[in-house]
Amino acid sequence: MHEFLLPSLYTLSGISLYAALHHGLIGIRRPFEQTHILFSLLCLFVSFYILTKALGYKALTAQQLVEVRRGEVMLVCILFYLLPTFVSKYTGVASRRLLAGLAIFWGVMGLVNLLLPYGIYYIEMPTLTYMVLPWGETVVDLRVIQLSRWHNIGWLGLVFVMGYCIYACLDLYRRGRNGRARNLGWGLILFFSSILYSGAVTYGHINFIHLAEFGFFGLLMIMSLGLTGILRSHERRMQAVLNHVPAVIYMKDLDGRYLLVNRLYESFLNMSNAQVIGKKDSELFSSKFAEMFHINESSVLANLIADEFEETLYLNGEAHTFQSLKFPLLDFEGLPYAICSISTDITESRHLDQEMHLLRRKIWHADRVTRTGAITASLSHELSQPLAAILSNAQAGLRFLAHDDTDLEELQALLQDIVRDDKRAGAVINGLRAMLKQQESPREIIDLSQCAQDVLELLHSEFITRNIEVEPNLTPGCTLLADKAQIQQVILNLIMNALEAMANQPAGSLKLKVTVDIQSEGKACCCIQDNGEGIPPELLGRIFDGFYTTKAQGMGVGLAVCRSIVEAHSGHIWVENNDDGKGVTFHFTLPIDTSYKIPIRPSRKRRKLPSLTTT
Ligand code: ADP
């Protein structure tokens, strides 16, 4: 006698178990899609189902047969729920109601199967009969003589399962997913024909054993090959795309082990894909860089949102700066299972940025030197006045000392005058030095009103020379975080332009208003109003563009510099013609820093200087 059926069933059960493990492991690595996990469960229960069939064929007593077949029915109930659930994930044709209905249906069937004394198959204790298979093997006859009503109801559920699976498969085909649909289609044809065949056996139309377990197994194998093929082609396609992206891309699991890297990253690391996968940063980089990655990635995983970081690290002996977008990968329950990073090498553009920055500073400085050069005549007057006063006070002091009866009080007053005049000259020089210094100074808390006041003081002689009435209106407490010299440069440029615009206007009416105040939206505003020649409305939009000038000696750089400084401080600058049609008002706003208030220094008391004669 050749035993063929039972060894085959054991083998099929073993293969199904292996398939369950294989797809289970894939499913664990890809928790964002449930297809593999569901398929693994399907394989697992098919493996048990085939085993119960084998046990049924080998049953020694009727009681044993009843219990084994009861178990078989339980597994059938589970399988006929799992199959449509898997099909819904595989095809994307999800009908929650149908699946819920099937869950209830097969749940009730399973319960009835447990409660009935002989399970769903038998209405009374069966007698063991045997069947001799064509190759001589003798097995227990599993055909049922008198079927229970419940058994027929089970067929009804099966019709629903078949109908849904066929519909989902056709829908998949209709949507153009021919490969997937064909795969599922062949599996279902094999499976359902084995079920129909088994029905024919059950109802006595065919005199042979049931083959449903072979149908189930066939379905699983076709699907397993299909799923693995789909996975491979997905991975190949994704890797091909990632390898051609001009950015470093990698994925790490929650322990920080690399799951995926693209070719650019491999070339940066000088390692192959296989050498990187499964490793942690601590095995690839020094502890400093590994720590940097860890901190950035932990914050993304803690907040569960995408975030951008600038990461600098040494690769192949060179420092590279990357702009990295990191985001968590979430499973179907919204829990993170990995982190992905897309990093662009911005080393080159950083260098260019730095060069541009330096260039801009140089232009700003050149402009400042030019502007300040224009006021040196009045500054020399500003300096010569206190120096002359110091000289005459010192000479007077010497004369006092030549007399025996030196009046010490008078001498003290003279010396105090010398000290005061010296400080004044020192203040002018310091103001100039601050304006002309080349290095970039760190941003500090400054008062916009104080800046304007400093510039007005520097230009004091210029106003007198040009016979200009200045009307300052400076609100104290406009504190900003800014580079003082740069903000002073903006004010100086705007005032110098105003003076030049008033140069050809009739004397006696020239007025410059300088206002600094706080605007409601947390901004400090500085307005410089003149009553000069004004700007034709059609040119208002152009004057901030570089190299636009209407002056014979002009370079057209001043306003462009003003705009770039103001914008570098997150501010805004614009110009308007005055309502009365005479002159213009330049406005610029800068964000206020409310965290700090500095007191405004009281304005220096000035002696009225005699007007300089202009030639
Ligand atoms: P420059 O002073 O070298 O010409 P600017 O960029 O400072 O360069 O100014 C550009 C142009 O804007 C000036 O040539 C002038 O025509 C116009 N402009 C600037 N300020 C005023 C003003 N207050 N009144 C009238 N025109 C002005």
Side-chain angles (χ1 to χ4, degrees):
M1 179 185 80
H2 303 287
E3 285 230 334
F4 180 67
L5 178 62
L6 287 169
S8 316
L9 290 179
Y10 292 138
T11 313
L12 298 195
S13 172
I15 296 175
S16 302
L17 200 62
Y18 172 77
L21 271 172
H22 174 67
H23 288 278
L25 286 176
I26 297 175
I28 290 169
R29 276 176 37 216
R30 300 167 63 86
F32 43 93
E33 54 159 306
Q34 293 162 298
T35 329
H36 284 272
I37 290 288
L38 278 170
F39 189 70
S40 161
L41 286 175
L42 206 59
C43 293
L44 186 72
F45 286 107
V46 167
S47 162
F48 295 158
Y49 169 71
I50 296 174
L51 216 56
T52 55
K53 282 298 238 195
L55 291 176
Y57 286 126
K58 290 285 280 179
L60 297 176
T61 62
Q63 184 62 40
Q64 218 176 47
L65 181 66
V66 167
E67 292 316 321
V68 166
R69 300 220 75 190
R70 202 196 293 275
E72 180 195 321
V73 171
M74 294 311 290
L75 289 167
V76 166
C77 290
I78 295 172
L79 283 172
F80 281 137
Y81 173 68
L82 275 180
L83 178 66
T85 313
F86 163 74
V87 169
S88 84
K89 289 283 165 213
Y90 181 83
T91 58
V93 182
S95 168
R96 280 170 184 264
R97 276 201 209 139
L98 181 95
L99 290 181
L102 283 177
I104 296 170
F105 179 85
W106 293 116
V108 171
M109 290 299 282
L111 202 68
V112 170
N113 176 53
L114 283 179
L115 294 178
L116 288 176
Y118 306 105
I120 278 181
Y121 278 132
Y122 304 103
I123 48 176
E124 58 187 29
M125 183 60 88
T127 45
L128 277 190
T129 54
Y130 293 90
M131 180 186 247
V132 181
L133 300 174
W135 51 90
E137 187 177 357
T138 307
V139 291
V140 171
D141 191 350
L142 297 184
R143 287 174 297 173
V144 183
I145 310 293
Q146 249 192 318
L147 286 168
S148 77
R149 208 177 328 122
W150 288 103
H151 186 266
N152 294 337
I153 295 174
W155 272 98
L156 194 71
L158 193 58
V159 169
F160 271 104
V161 172
M162 282 196 213
Y164 169 70
C165 290
I166 292 169
Y167 166 76
C169 182
L170 289 177
D171 192 73
L172 192 66
Y173 192 78
R174 194 177 47 78
R175 280 184 282 137
R177 314 289 298 271
N178 302 4
R180 273 181 169 236
R182 216 173 299 131
N183 203 41
L184 179 66
W186 281 118
L188 288 178
I189 287 172
L190 185 71
F191 175 58
F192 290 135
S193 21
S194 78
I195 293 282
L196 292 177
Y197 162 85
S198 297
V201 172
T202 304
Y203 289 101
H205 302 300
I206 296 175
N207 188 18
F208 194 55
I209 52 168
H210 296 113
L211 292 178
E213 57 274 31
F214 290 94
F216 250 131
F217 179 78
L219 169 72
L220 290 192
M221 288 308 106
I222 291 177
M223 292 311 297
S224 174
L225 290 178
L227 279 177
T228 313
I230 289 170
L231 194 68
R232 283 218 191 98
S233 75
H234 267 184
E235 279 175 359
R236 265 201 307 271
R237 215 181 303 159
M238 191 162 103
Q239 192 70 45
V241 172
L242 296 184
N243 282 345
H244 289 88
V245 175
V248 163
I249 299 179
Y250 55 79
M251 205 191 277
K252 292 176 195 167
D253 67 13
L254 298 184
D255 289 336
R257 289 185 193 284
Y258 283 91
L259 295 173
L260 175 151
V261 292
N262 72 341
R263 201 171 290 155
L264 189 61
Y265 200 30
E266 286 171 42
S267 69
F268 270 124
L269 293 174
N270 223 349
M271 287 174 146
S272 72
N273 195 295
Q275 286 172 303
V276 185
I277 301 298
K279 292 235 169 67
K280 288 182 164 191
D281 285 321
S282 52
E283 298 166 69
L284 302 173
F285 304 105
S286 70
S287 58
K288 184 176 137 201
F289 298 131
E291 181 67 12
M292 172 185 75
F293 282 132
H294 178 70
I295 292 172
N296 294 348
E297 284 158 16
S298 303
S299 94
V300 169
L301 289 173
N303 300 319
L304 290 190
I305 45 163
D307 208 349
E308 273 196 288
F309 302 89
E310 204 171 293
E311 297 175 323
T312 302
L313 59 158
Y314 277 90
L315 295 166
N316 299 328
E318 277 177 42
H320 285 265
T321 304
F322 291 94
Q323 182 76 34
S324 301
L325 171 74
K326 294 179 188 274
F327 51 92
L329 298 176
L330 308 179
D331 65 15
F332 48 87
E333 284 173 351
L335 299 173
Y337 66 89
I339 184 161
C340 184
S341 177
I342 303 175
S343 310
T344 320
D345 189 352
I346 53 164
T347 318
E348 276 291 304
S349 74
R350 258 302 113 86
H351 284 156
L352 280 177
D353 279 356
Q354 276 163 3
E355 275 170 27
M356 284 295 290
H357 184 72
L358 276 177
L359 215 61
R360 201 162 39 223
R361 300 267 148 196
K362 281 189 177 154
I363 293 174
W364 290 356
H365 184 250
D367 173 71
R368 221 178 311 167
V369 172
T370 318
R371 297 278 165 170
T372 322
I375 54 167
T376 42
S378 57
L379 279 176
S380 71
H381 179 269
E382 185 82 351
L383 276 176
S384 64
Q385 207 278 335
L387 288 177
I390 289 171
L391 183 64
S392 67
N393 280 332
Q395 284 169 339
L398 284 174
R399 276 199 301 276
F400 274 132
L401 288 174
H403 293 99
D404 292 340
D405 54 342
T406 308
D407 182 345
L408 284 179
E409 268 185 34
E410 195 69 20
L411 194 61
Q412 195 180 12
L414 276 178
L415 289 174
Q416 274 167 351
D417 270 2
I418 290 176
V419 170
R420 188 199 56 220
D421 287 332
D422 181 82
K423 279 188 180 162
R424 223 175 90 203
V428 174
I429 292 168
N430 282 342
L432 253 188
R433 192 190 295 147
M435 287 286 296
L436 292 176
K437 71 178 177 199
Q438 174 129 35
Q439 325 89 304
E440 187 181 341
S441 47
R443 292 198 177 181
E444 53 183 336
I445 299 285
I446 59 162
D447 189 316
L448 188 56
S449 296
Q450 189 64 64
C451 279
Q453 191 174 297
D454 289 346
V455 177
L456 289 177
E457 284 178 10
L458 201 66
L459 292 171
H460 177 251
S461 305
E462 197 72 30
F463 298 140
I464 291 167
T465 314
R466 293 175 183 250
N467 240 327
I468 287 170
E469 187 192 331
V470 181
E471 194 183 311
N473 187 2
L474 311 176
T475 311
C478 297
T479 48
L480 318 167
L481 188 66
D483 184 321
K484 189 173 179 183
Q486 287 173 11
I487 301 299
Q488 283 182 339
Q489 180 175 2
V490 174
I491 300 173
L492 178 79
N493 282 6
L494 297 179
I495 294 181
M496 290 301 288
N497 274 344
L499 299 191
E500 281 159 17
M502 291 191 283
N504 297 325
Q505 301 301 305
S509 62
L510 306 178
K511 203 169 190 179
L512 178 79
K513 275 193 195 173
V514 179
T515 313
V516 173
D517 58 16
I518 300 173
Q519 286 190 338
S520 52
E521 323 85 65
K523 287 178 189 160
C525 184
C526 178
C527 306
I528 288 151
Q529 188 186 75
D530 62 56
N531 56 359
E533 62 196 17
I535 302 172
E538 66 276 12
L539 297 181
L540 281 176
R542 286 181 55 195
I543 57 165
F544 288 101
D545 298 341
F547 306 112
Y548 173 78
T549 182
T550 53
K551 300 169 196 166
Q553 308 296 327
M555 294 219 316
V557 177
L559 289 178
V561 166
C562 288
R563 182 165 68 179
S564 61
I565 292 179
V566 169
E567 287 177 357
H569 284 79
S570 312
H572 184 48
I573 185 166
W574 72 102
V575 60
E576 285 165 355
N577 273 315
N578 294 333
D579 290 341
D580 61 4
K582 287 189 93 191
V584 294
T585 306
F586 277 87
H587 308 254
F588 71 88
T589 57
L590 293 168
I592 239 175
D593 190 308
T594 45
S595 58
Y596 187 80
K597 296 238 177 308
I598 43 175
I600 189 163
R601 177 157 47 86
S603 134
R604 190 151 48 96
K605 262 239 172 320
R606 298 193 151 270
R607 264 167 285 181
K608 181 112 172 110
L609 291 175
S611 296
L612 292 178
T613 43
T614 43
T615 49

